[in-house]
Amino acid sequence: NVPEDLHEVDEAVDKVTGIIIATFKHIRSQIADQAGLFGESFFKLPMMRRLEEDMCRIELQDHHLEVYVKQQQEHEEDLAKVNDALKDVKACLEKLRTFQASKGSRLRS
């Protein structure tokens, strides 16, 4: 409903401007959505595939491998020590609960 009379030119300009802006927003939104998909499809996915291939070809040098193996062994030893300590703590806790239960039943009598 764009006015066509000469005395309504200002109103017609405002309405046409509004229609153009609304059309521009819609087109921009559609293009922005497609640009994201375009970037994902033609840039990011191929780059990730190449990166994965390159990373699969990486090999550790012998001295790095030795360091990592040593670190893993140290971590396994630490884990074993912590597990032993945890067993000791659980045993102490169980003794305390048993003691508490025996003292609690004597106090009630």
Side-chain angles (χ1 to χ4, degrees), residues 2-17:
V2 177
E4 296 178 7
D5 293 336
L6 196 54
H7 65 281
E8 297 176 325
V9 170
D10 289 338
E11 184 181 342
V13 168
D14 290 342
K15 285 189 176 186
V16 169
T17 302

Side-chain angles (χ1 to χ4, degrees), residues 21-36:
I21 289 173
T23 304
F24 176 74
K25 285 181 182 178
H26 179 70
I27 291 171
R28 183 179 60 194
S29 173
Q30 294 296 319
I31 289 174
D33 291 344
Q34 291 174 1

Side-chain angles (χ1 to χ4, degrees), residues 27-69:
I27 291 171
R28 183 179 60 194
S29 173
Q30 294 296 319
I31 289 174
D33 291 344
Q34 291 174 1
L37 183 61
F38 177 81
E40 182 84 19
S41 299
F42 294 103
F43 176 71
K44 188 176 176 185
L45 289 175
M47 180 185 68
M48 294 300 288
R49 285 188 199 114
R50 281 190 225 116
L51 178 64
E52 183 180 0
E53 291 171 6
D54 291 345
M55 289 183 75
C56 286
R57 283 187 248 135
I58 292 176
E59 293 183 16
L60 290 175
Q61 295 176 354
D62 290 339
H63 67 278
H64 288 136
L65 185 60
E66 291 171 4
V67 169
Y68 293 132
V69 167

